[in-house]
Amino acid sequence: MALLVVEGLRTHFPTRVGVVPAVDDVSFTIERGETLALVGESGSGKSVTALSIMGLVAPPGQIVAGRIHFAGRDLRAASAAELATLRGSQMAMIFQDPMTSLNPVFTVGEQIAEMLRWHKGLSSRQAWAHAVEALAAVAIPDPARRAKQYPHELSGGMRQRVMIAMALSCNPQLLIADEPTTALDVTIQAQILELIATQQRERNLGVLLITHDLGVVAQVAHWAAVMYAGRIVEIAPVETIFARPQHPYTQGLLASVPRLGRREARLPTIEGVVPKLTDLPPGCAFAPRCPEAEPRCRQGDIALKPFGDTPGHAVRCVRR
C-alpha cells in the first residue's frame, strides 16, 4: 500500500474577481522511502498542494474535489481533531522560513518538548531529554546548550536544523519540506539536503519536497512532478525528467539551468508570464508561451496521459 495517494485534488479560493483554482486536478503517489519533488514557478500551486494534504488550507480556501489517502486513511473524511493528532505525529512539515515558524519567546528545546508532551504523552523531564536527543540527531553541536537558546540566537542553517529536529521528533511516516533551503547559502543548503536524505534512509520516510530548484531535485528526489498554473504538466522518475523531458514547459525549465561548459552568451528563457488563475486561457494554460502551440492546444480540457515505456511517466500535452 502506498504511503500517500493524491487523486484529482482541487483546492479553490473564492475572490472578488472570481474563483482561483490554486490546485486543479493534481494526482500523485508517494511510497515509503521515496522522495517526490513538486517543481514549478512561484504561484504554480506547490505550497497549496502541501497545505491541502496537511489540512491547513485557511478559509475561504477549500478543497472542492479529490481524494487524499494517507497510510490507508481518508484524510478528507477525517475530523479536525483527527487531523490535529496526525499532524506532527504521523505527518510533519518543514516550512521555508523557520523564523516565522518558531516561537521567538520560547527556547527551541521547549518547543520540541511541547510536541513530545502533546503527541507522545511524555513527562516534562522525558520530553526535554528527547528534545536534546532530537537536536543531536540533526548534527547540532552541543545540543544540551543549544536547546536552551532562543531562535534569534541561532544561525539560519541552525534554525532549519531545529525545524527538521522538531518535524522528526515524533517519528512521522511522511515529511513535507516546503522550500527547506530557501535563503541559505550553498554550503548550508547541501548540508540540509544531506541531513534530510540521511534521516529518510534511516527512518524509511516518504518525503514530499517542494522546490523551484532543479539542482535540488536532481540531488535528492526519486520522482519529479512539474506544476504550472495549478496543474501537474509532467510527472516521471527524476532520471527520465532530466534525460527525456516531454512537456514544452519542462523542456524550457531544464534549458534555462546554467551548466558547466555551456558557451551561449545568454541562457534560454521562457517568453511571457504565468497567466492569472482567475483568467486562464482555454485548453492548455501554457499555450500562450509555448513555442509548439497549435490550434488544438486551445480547445477543451487536456488530460495527463501516460507517455512512452517508462512506468509512471505522464504528460499533459496534446502533441505527446
Side-chain angles (χ1 to χ4, degrees):
M1 179 191 300
L3 177 63
L4 178 68
V5 177
V6 177
E7 289 184 353
L9 179 64
R10 298 178 191 270
T11 302
H12 292 180
F13 291 82
T15 70
R16 293 179 181 177
V17 294
V19 174
V20 175
V23 176
D24 188 16
D25 191 25
V26 166
S27 301
F28 57 82
T29 299
I30 299 178
E31 302 285 350
R32 299 175 193 275
E34 278 188 348
T35 297
L36 181 140
L38 279 182
V39 188
E41 299 172 67
S42 296
S44 61
K46 306 184 302 295
S47 294
V48 177
T49 299
L51 294 173
S52 300
I53 294 168
M54 295 291 286
L56 293 174
V57 176
Q62 59 178 333
I63 299 173
V64 297
R67 187 169 78 98
I68 306 172
H69 275 221
F70 168 70
R73 298 186 62 170
D74 183 356
L75 296 188
R76 289 203 62 200
S79 66
E82 290 172 328
L83 286 173
T85 301
L86 284 173
R87 286 194 295 264
S89 61
Q90 299 298 313
M91 305 184 301
M93 188 165 178
I94 304 169
F95 296 92
Q96 56 183 293
D97 184 3
M99 277 305 284
T100 60
S101 303
L102 293 170
N103 193 320
V105 300
F106 291 98
T107 66
V108 296
E110 287 174 312
Q111 295 181 60
I112 298 174
E114 181 183 16
M115 279 193 60
L116 290 162
R117 289 194 300 268
W118 172 262
H119 290 292
K120 297 295 186 181
L122 302 181
S123 67
S124 295
R125 179 170 295 183
Q126 291 172 325
W128 182 265
H130 278 74
V132 173
E133 291 175 6
L135 293 176
V138 296
I140 288 182
D142 196 1
R145 180 174 68 88
R146 294 292 188 181
K148 299 176 182 178
Q149 293 184 315
Y150 294 87
H152 72 271
E153 298 180 277
L154 305 176
S155 67
M158 201 75 76
R159 287 194 292 266
Q160 197 62 284
R161 287 175 184 266
V162 169
M163 289 298 299
I164 296 171
M166 186 178 299
L168 299 179
S169 61
C170 294
N171 294 313
Q173 299 179 60
L174 175 69
L175 176 67
I176 299 176
D178 187 357
E179 300 278 8
T181 58
T182 296
L184 299 178
D185 64 57
V186 175
T187 303
I188 302 301
Q189 282 185 25
Q191 293 175 1
I192 295 298
L193 293 172
E194 179 57 32
L195 174 59
I196 293 174
T198 299
Q199 294 295 319
Q200 178 186 37
R201 290 191 297 269
E202 292 178 354
R203 301 167 185 254
N204 200 32
L205 280 170
V207 177
L208 175 61
L209 174 66
I210 297 169
T211 183
H212 62 270
D213 189 332
L214 290 168
V216 170
V217 175
Q219 182 178 345
V220 302
H222 300 95
W223 289 79
V226 180
M227 292 191 71
Y228 184 81
R231 290 189 144 191
I232 290 177
V233 296
E234 184 166 7
I235 184 168
V238 163
E239 296 83 0
T240 302
I241 285 284
F242 279 86
R244 297 182 300 280
Q246 295 301 314
H247 196 280
Y249 178 61
T250 310
Q251 294 170 350
L253 286 180
L254 291 169
S256 65
V257 176
R259 291 183 177 87
L260 290 174
R262 176 181 274 175
R263 296 183 179 276
E264 292 96 335
R266 293 176 61 89
L267 285 171
T269 60
I270 301 174
E271 299 298 330
V273 295
V274 179
K276 292 182 179 180
L277 293 180
T278 53
D279 188 26
L280 291 172
C284 176
F286 186 63
R289 306 174 69 187
C290 181
E292 301 179 25
E294 53 187 62
R296 59 177 174 156
C297 297
R298 297 176 172 86
Q299 298 171 1
D301 190 50
I302 298 172
L304 187 68
K305 300 177 296 185
F307 176 86
D309 300 326
T310 304
H313 190 184
V315 184
R316 195 184 297 273
C317 181
V318 297
R319 293 175 56 91
R320 303 297 188 268

mmCIF file of all heavy atoms in Angstrom, residues 157-186:
data_model
loop_
_atom_site.group_PDB
_atom_site.id
_atom_site.type_symbol
_atom_site.label_atom_id
_atom_site.label_comp_id
_atom_site.label_asym_id
_atom_site.label_seq_id
_atom_site.Cartn_x
_atom_site.Cartn_y
_atom_site.Cartn_z
ATOM 1 N N GLY A 157 20.961 28.372 9.156
ATOM 2 C CA GLY A 157 21.114 26.932 8.969
ATOM 3 C C GLY A 157 20.790 26.154 10.224
ATOM 4 O O GLY A 157 20.188 25.065 10.169
ATOM 5 N N MET A 158 21.171 26.700 11.382
ATOM 6 C CA MET A 158 20.888 26.029 12.649
ATOM 7 C C MET A 158 19.388 26.018 12.934
ATOM 8 O O MET A 158 18.837 25.021 13.406
ATOM 9 C CB MET A 158 21.636 26.737 13.777
ATOM 10 C CG MET A 158 21.833 25.890 15.021
ATOM 11 S SD MET A 158 23.112 24.657 14.803
ATOM 12 C CE MET A 158 24.580 25.668 14.921
ATOM 13 N N ARG A 159 18.707 27.125 12.625
ATOM 14 C CA ARG A 159 17.250 27.163 12.824
ATOM 15 C C ARG A 159 16.556 26.143 11.928
ATOM 16 O O ARG A 159 15.581 25.506 12.349
ATOM 17 C CB ARG A 159 16.713 28.575 12.538
ATOM 18 C CG ARG A 159 17.051 29.589 13.603
ATOM 19 C CD ARG A 159 16.229 30.854 13.448
ATOM 20 N NE ARG A 159 16.591 31.585 12.247
ATOM 21 C CZ ARG A 159 17.483 32.577 12.212
ATOM 22 N NH1 ARG A 159 18.109 32.942 13.311
ATOM 23 N NH2 ARG A 159 17.743 33.207 11.076
ATOM 24 N N GLN A 160 17.052 25.982 10.695
ATOM 25 C CA GLN A 160 16.440 24.994 9.814
ATOM 26 C C GLN A 160 16.659 23.580 10.342
ATOM 27 O O GLN A 160 15.782 22.721 10.242
ATOM 28 C CB GLN A 160 17.001 25.133 8.396
ATOM 29 C CG GLN A 160 16.164 24.463 7.321
ATOM 30 C CD GLN A 160 14.772 25.038 7.199
ATOM 31 O OE1 GLN A 160 13.905 24.772 8.028
ATOM 32 N NE2 GLN A 160 14.539 25.818 6.170
ATOM 33 N N ARG A 161 17.808 23.331 10.966
ATOM 34 C CA ARG A 161 18.055 22.027 11.595
ATOM 35 C C ARG A 161 17.095 21.805 12.769
ATOM 36 O O ARG A 161 16.626 20.691 12.999
ATOM 37 C CB ARG A 161 19.500 21.934 12.083
ATOM 38 C CG ARG A 161 20.509 21.772 10.963
ATOM 39 C CD ARG A 161 21.936 21.816 11.499
ATOM 40 N NE ARG A 161 22.897 21.751 10.409
ATOM 41 C CZ ARG A 161 23.466 20.635 9.965
ATOM 42 N NH1 ARG A 161 23.163 19.480 10.536
ATOM 43 N NH2 ARG A 161 24.319 20.655 8.971
ATOM 44 N N VAL A 162 16.821 22.879 13.498
ATOM 45 C CA VAL A 162 15.859 22.766 14.604
ATOM 46 C C VAL A 162 14.482 22.398 14.057
ATOM 47 O O VAL A 162 13.783 21.546 14.633
ATOM 48 C CB VAL A 162 15.781 24.099 15.388
ATOM 49 C CG1 VAL A 162 14.600 24.080 16.372
ATOM 50 C CG2 VAL A 162 17.082 24.346 16.136
ATOM 51 N N MET A 163 14.099 23.000 12.935
ATOM 52 C CA MET A 163 12.803 22.679 12.335
ATOM 53 C C MET A 163 12.747 21.211 11.912
ATOM 54 O O MET A 163 11.719 20.539 12.079
ATOM 55 C CB MET A 163 12.556 23.581 11.116
ATOM 56 C CG MET A 163 12.269 25.024 11.455
ATOM 57 S SD MET A 163 10.779 25.227 12.451
ATOM 58 C CE MET A 163 9.540 24.546 11.353
ATOM 59 N N ILE A 164 13.847 20.698 11.377
ATOM 60 C CA ILE A 164 13.896 19.289 10.988
ATOM 61 C C ILE A 164 13.822 18.403 12.220
ATOM 62 O O ILE A 164 13.109 17.392 12.238
ATOM 63 C CB ILE A 164 15.169 19.003 10.170
ATOM 64 C CG1 ILE A 164 15.139 19.787 8.861
ATOM 65 C CG2 ILE A 164 15.312 17.504 9.886
ATOM 66 C CD1 ILE A 164 16.446 19.739 8.079
ATOM 67 N N ALA A 165 14.551 18.782 13.277
ATOM 68 C CA ALA A 165 14.511 18.012 14.532
ATOM 69 C C ALA A 165 13.097 17.973 15.091
ATOM 70 O O ALA A 165 12.610 16.934 15.544
ATOM 71 C CB ALA A 165 15.473 18.632 15.548
ATOM 72 N N MET A 166 12.403 19.120 15.046
ATOM 73 C CA MET A 166 11.036 19.194 15.545
ATOM 74 C C MET A 166 10.106 18.321 14.704
ATOM 75 O O MET A 166 9.265 17.588 15.234
ATOM 76 C CB MET A 166 10.560 20.646 15.538
ATOM 77 C CG MET A 166 9.203 20.868 16.181
ATOM 78 S SD MET A 166 8.726 22.616 16.177
ATOM 79 C CE MET A 166 10.036 23.336 17.152
ATOM 80 N N ALA A 167 10.283 18.377 13.376
ATOM 81 C CA ALA A 167 9.422 17.607 12.477
ATOM 82 C C ALA A 167 9.598 16.109 12.677
ATOM 83 O O ALA A 167 8.636 15.341 12.567
ATOM 84 C CB ALA A 167 9.722 17.988 11.028
ATOM 85 N N LEU A 168 10.826 15.688 12.976
ATOM 86 C CA LEU A 168 11.110 14.255 13.074
ATOM 87 C C LEU A 168 11.043 13.712 14.501
ATOM 88 O O LEU A 168 11.186 12.511 14.699
ATOM 89 C CB LEU A 168 12.503 13.968 12.491
ATOM 90 C CG LEU A 168 12.710 14.319 11.012
ATOM 91 C CD1 LEU A 168 14.144 13.998 10.591
ATOM 92 C CD2 LEU A 168 11.721 13.568 10.136
ATOM 93 N N SER A 169 10.819 14.581 15.472
ATOM 94 C CA SER A 169 10.900 14.160 16.872
ATOM 95 C C SER A 169 9.878 13.096 17.244
ATOM 96 O O SER A 169 10.122 12.287 18.147
ATOM 97 C CB SER A 169 10.742 15.376 17.800
ATOM 98 O OG SER A 169 9.484 16.003 17.607
ATOM 99 N N CYS A 170 8.736 13.068 16.554
ATOM 100 C CA CYS A 170 7.696 12.081 16.880
ATOM 101 C C CYS A 170 7.676 10.909 15.889
ATOM 102 O O CYS A 170 6.698 10.153 15.837
ATOM 103 C CB CYS A 170 6.328 12.755 16.919
ATOM 104 S SG CYS A 170 6.138 13.960 18.258
ATOM 105 N N ASN A 171 8.754 10.771 15.120
ATOM 106 C CA ASN A 171 8.890 9.667 14.158
ATOM 107 C C ASN A 171 7.716 9.582 13.175
ATOM 108 O O ASN A 171 7.020 8.568 13.095
ATOM 109 C CB ASN A 171 9.042 8.330 14.886
ATOM 110 C CG ASN A 171 10.335 8.249 15.672
ATOM 111 O OD1 ASN A 171 11.400 8.584 15.162
ATOM 112 N ND2 ASN A 171 10.244 7.820 16.924
ATOM 113 N N PRO A 172 7.480 10.634 12.391
ATOM 114 C CA PRO A 172 6.382 10.599 11.413
ATOM 115 C C PRO A 172 6.708 9.648 10.261
ATOM 116 O O PRO A 172 7.860 9.257 10.058
ATOM 117 C CB PRO A 172 6.311 12.048 10.925
ATOM 118 C CG PRO A 172 7.721 12.533 11.060
ATOM 119 C CD PRO A 172 8.246 11.892 12.310
ATOM 120 N N GLN A 173 5.673 9.318 9.489
ATOM 121 C CA GLN A 173 5.862 8.484 8.308
ATOM 122 C C GLN A 173 6.058 9.330 7.051
ATOM 123 O O GLN A 173 6.675 8.885 6.092
ATOM 124 C CB GLN A 173 4.647 7.581 8.108
ATOM 125 C CG GLN A 173 4.380 6.630 9.265
ATOM 126 C CD GLN A 173 3.143 5.793 9.009
ATOM 127 O OE1 GLN A 173 3.053 5.038 8.040
ATOM 128 N NE2 GLN A 173 2.148 5.935 9.873
ATOM 129 N N LEU A 174 5.489 10.557 7.064
ATOM 130 C CA LEU A 174 5.566 11.443 5.901
ATOM 131 C C LEU A 174 6.152 12.782 6.315
ATOM 132 O O LEU A 174 5.724 13.373 7.304
ATOM 133 C CB LEU A 174 4.172 11.665 5.309
ATOM 134 C CG LEU A 174 4.068 12.670 4.158
ATOM 135 C CD1 LEU A 174 4.758 12.138 2.908
ATOM 136 C CD2 LEU A 174 2.602 13.006 3.855
ATOM 137 N N LEU A 175 7.129 13.257 5.546
ATOM 138 C CA LEU A 175 7.726 14.568 5.780
ATOM 139 C C LEU A 175 7.491 15.436 4.554
ATOM 140 O O LEU A 175 7.831 15.045 3.432
ATOM 141 C CB LEU A 175 9.229 14.436 6.044
ATOM 142 C CG LEU A 175 9.999 15.753 6.213
ATOM 143 C CD1 LEU A 175 9.549 16.467 7.486
ATOM 144 C CD2 LEU A 175 11.505 15.501 6.241
ATOM 145 N N ILE A 176 6.889 16.606 4.763
ATOM 146 C CA ILE A 176 6.697 17.571 3.679
ATOM 147 C C ILE A 176 7.662 18.720 3.922
ATOM 148 O O ILE A 176 7.628 19.358 4.980
ATOM 149 C CB ILE A 176 5.251 18.085 3.633
ATOM 150 C CG1 ILE A 176 4.283 16.919 3.377
ATOM 151 C CG2 ILE A 176 5.092 19.151 2.553
ATOM 152 C CD1 ILE A 176 2.819 17.313 3.405
ATOM 153 N N ALA A 177 8.551 18.963 2.952
ATOM 154 C CA ALA A 177 9.557 20.017 3.086
ATOM 155 C C ALA A 177 9.274 21.091 2.043
ATOM 156 O O ALA A 177 9.441 20.858 0.839
ATOM 157 C CB ALA A 177 10.959 19.433 2.901
ATOM 158 N N ASP A 178 8.818 22.246 2.497
ATOM 159 C CA ASP A 178 8.442 23.342 1.593
ATOM 160 C C ASP A 178 9.619 24.313 1.463
ATOM 161 O O ASP A 178 9.872 25.125 2.352
ATOM 162 C CB ASP A 178 7.205 24.056 2.145
ATOM 163 C CG ASP A 178 6.655 25.097 1.179
ATOM 164 O OD1 ASP A 178 7.266 25.298 0.114
ATOM 165 O OD2 ASP A 178 5.622 25.711 1.484
ATOM 166 N N GLU A 179 10.335 24.211 0.355
ATOM 167 C CA GLU A 179 11.498 25.065 0.089
ATOM 168 C C GLU A 179 12.435 25.106 1.310
ATOM 169 O O GLU A 179 12.714 26.179 1.860
ATOM 170 C CB GLU A 179 11.054 26.493 -0.260
ATOM 171 C CG GLU A 179 10.155 26.599 -1.482
ATOM 172 C CD GLU A 179 10.932 26.589 -2.798
ATOM 173 O OE1 GLU A 179 12.146 26.350 -2.760
ATOM 174 O OE2 GLU A 179 10.303 26.812 -3.844
ATOM 175 N N PRO A 180 12.935 23.949 1.771
ATOM 176 C CA PRO A 180 13.683 23.920 3.030
ATOM 177 C C PRO A 180 15.038 24.612 2.971
ATOM 178 O O PRO A 180 15.643 24.841 4.022
ATOM 179 C CB PRO A 180 13.859 22.415 3.280
ATOM 180 C CG PRO A 180 13.861 21.802 1.919
ATOM 181 C CD PRO A 180 12.860 22.616 1.140
ATOM 182 N N THR A 181 15.533 24.947 1.774
ATOM 183 C CA THR A 181 16.857 25.576 1.686
ATOM 184 C C THR A 181 16.795 27.018 1.192
ATOM 185 O O THR A 181 17.815 27.600 0.856
ATOM 186 C CB THR A 181 17.769 24.765 0.740
ATOM 187 O OG1 THR A 181 17.159 24.680 -0.560
ATOM 188 C CG2 THR A 181 17.994 23.357 1.278
ATOM 189 N N THR A 182 15.588 27.603 1.161
ATOM 190 C CA THR A 182 15.456 28.989 0.731
ATOM 191 C C THR A 182 16.248 29.917 1.651
ATOM 192 O O THR A 182 16.223 29.778 2.865
ATOM 193 C CB THR A 182 13.970 29.412 0.731
ATOM 194 O OG1 THR A 182 13.285 28.626 -0.239
ATOM 195 C CG2 THR A 182 13.815 30.879 0.375
ATOM 196 N N ALA A 183 16.967 30.867 1.049
ATOM 197 C CA ALA A 183 17.717 31.906 1.773
ATOM 198 C C ALA A 183 18.941 31.376 2.509
ATOM 199 O O ALA A 183 19.550 32.107 3.289
ATOM 200 C CB ALA A 183 16.808 32.655 2.761
ATOM 201 N N LEU A 184 19.318 30.119 2.264
ATOM 202 C CA LEU A 184 20.539 29.587 2.866
ATOM 203 C C LEU A 184 21.645 29.591 1.815
ATOM 204 O O LEU A 184 21.394 29.417 0.629
ATOM 205 C CB LEU A 184 20.314 28.159 3.367
ATOM 206 C CG LEU A 184 19.243 27.960 4.451
ATOM 207 C CD1 LEU A 184 19.122 26.487 4.796
ATOM 208 C CD2 LEU A 184 19.557 28.779 5.691
ATOM 209 N N ASP A 185 22.896 29.770 2.273
ATOM 210 C CA ASP A 185 23.981 29.742 1.295
ATOM 211 C C ASP A 185 24.200 28.320 0.802
ATOM 212 O O ASP A 185 23.699 27.354 1.379
ATOM 213 C CB ASP A 185 25.265 30.348 1.873
ATOM 214 C CG ASP A 185 25.812 29.551 3.048
ATOM 215 O OD1 ASP A 185 26.072 28.347 2.879
ATOM 216 O OD2 ASP A 185 25.991 30.141 4.128
ATOM 217 N N VAL A 186 24.952 28.192 -0.281
ATOM 218 C CA VAL A 186 25.062 26.917 -0.987
ATOM 219 C C VAL A 186 25.606 25.809 -0.090
ATOM 220 O O VAL A 186 25.127 24.672 -0.120
ATOM 221 C CB VAL A 186 25.947 27.086 -2.243
ATOM 222 C CG1 VAL A 186 26.167 25.743 -2.916
ATOM 223 C CG2 VAL A 186 25.304 28.057 -3.211
#
